[in-house]
Amino acid sequence: MTAHVRNHSETYSKATQAGEPKGPALLVDEEALEREARRVLRRLCETGAVLALASDMDKAVVLRSFKDGPPTRTAVVSREVAQAFALKDWINCTRAGRVASYSITTVGRAALKHYLDEEVTRKRRMKGAQDGASPFRDSQSDWDARLGASSVTGVGRSSMAESPLAMLARRRDKDGRTFLAPDLVQAGERFREDYELAQMGQGAALRWDRFMVSGDRTELSGDATIAEGPKAARERILSALDELGPGLSDIIMRCCCFLEGLEAAEKRMGWSARSGKVVLRIALQRLHRHYMDANGHVSAMIG
């Protein structure tokens, strides 16, 4: 038990009385906690996001609410990790009960900024040691730099709150209909969730660009050093990209995973202005069909 966690014993006692997650949270090692913090806390920074945990479930989910449609699940995390977040005051219980809800705190935002700044610094060093440049790696690195911006520590909207998918989900036509149906948003978020889980593998973030350019999946599927969870997520991504094919897979990776803006994606792909949103919707429709054909639904519990 670390000294930091010991200092939270009183907080934990009050938290469990309020319905916060219970269990052997201290079994989570610091490396795993840091990895999960980068993945889950950034999703909790998004507008309308909460972490929900039922008393009889061993996993918690991050749900993001949009103006129209049901909440969309954007991440899954173990009960032990959720408890560790609460012990460190990274999340705060906003609604107790059989299904409790938690929001990220200013302490959690500060911790996320620290971890993201470290990650950006590490990736810049690794990028500097690489020969050549890749447009996919560049776009991912650009977003990593924005993730490390000071706005992460803000209490209100952060730079992470407005992904291309979220912005399109709010758009309406002249008849008041949304440009992206909720099931398409859910498909995109499911793909992004798999991408983030796959990043837990050693060196995963450095290899996606090579696959997108050449289609060679040797390094992606042959890495025996990563755990089963990231490996399974990686295989699900590869299966979806095979279904999408060139062009559609590019826009999905850029907008859903690298969170590249539509205008930037259009320029990189050499497409005409305002065509990106149409291609992205077609890609999401194909992705949704792929998940339905493979699983019978989109939101299978993963992670």
Side-chain angles (χ1 to χ4, degrees), residues 263-274:
E263 290 185 6
E266 289 167 351
K267 290 180 181 179
R268 290 184 187 272
M269 300 292 290
W271 294 346
S272 60
R274 294 182 293 280

Side-chain angles (χ1 to χ4, degrees), residues 133-189:
S134 161
F136 280 95
R137 185 183 292 120
D138 289 345
S139 62
Q140 185 173 358
S141 298
D142 290 344
W143 181 250
D144 287 337
R146 278 185 281 166
L147 285 178
S150 59
S151 58
V152 173
T153 60
V155 177
R157 283 173 55 180
S158 75
S159 62
M160 290 180 288
E162 300 300 327
S163 68
L165 204 61
M167 288 187 287
L168 283 178
R170 294 199 313 273
R171 288 191 182 180
R172 295 178 178 275
D173 60 20
K174 60 182 181 180
D175 297 322
R177 293 172 298 190
T178 56
F179 182 78
L180 291 180
D183 57 350
L184 300 186
V185 176
Q186 188 178 31
E189 292 290 4

Side-chain angles (χ1 to χ4, degrees), residues 78-152:
S78 70
R79 173 181 288 271
E80 289 78 14
V81 170
Q83 179 189 342
F85 284 3
L87 285 170
K88 288 180 173 288
D89 291 334
W90 291 350
I91 58 175
N92 179 57
C93 184
T94 55
R95 188 185 69 181
R98 191 184 70 81
V99 179
S101 298
Y102 308 86
S103 298
I104 190 170
T105 65
T106 53
V107 177
R109 291 179 185 273
L112 176 60
K113 181 181 183 299
H114 171 72
Y115 288 139
L116 291 178
D117 284 345
E118 286 187 339
E119 185 179 24
V120 169
T121 300
R122 182 171 64 251
K123 286 184 176 181
R124 283 175 176 167
R125 288 173 181 165
M126 295 176 70
K127 181 182 176 183
Q130 305 262 342
D131 292 329
S134 161
F136 280 95
R137 185 183 292 120
D138 289 345
S139 62
Q140 185 173 358
S141 298
D142 290 344
W143 181 250
D144 287 337
R146 278 185 281 166
L147 285 178
S150 59
S151 58
V152 173

Side-chain angles (χ1 to χ4, degrees), residues 190-262:
R190 164 69 190 272
F191 188 84
R192 180 180 170 190
E193 183 183 351
D194 266 332
Y195 172 78
E196 292 175 346
L197 289 171
Q199 296 300 83
M200 295 180 185
Q202 291 184 349
L206 296 178
R207 295 173 180 173
W208 284 109
D209 64 299
R210 302 177 196 174
F211 169 75
M212 295 304 296
V213 172
S214 66
D216 182 6
R217 66 177 61 193
T218 303
E219 292 181 90
L220 287 174
S221 58
D223 190 345
T225 63
I226 65 173
E228 286 303 314
K231 181 181 291 186
R234 192 179 295 188
E235 290 302 320
R236 289 192 295 268
I237 290 178
L238 293 174
S239 176
L241 292 177
D242 284 343
E243 173 67 22
L244 292 170
L248 296 184
S249 59
D250 292 336
I251 195 69
I252 284 287
M253 287 294 292
R254 290 183 182 280
C255 293
C256 294
C257 299
F258 301 157
L259 304 183
E260 189 173 279
L262 283 170

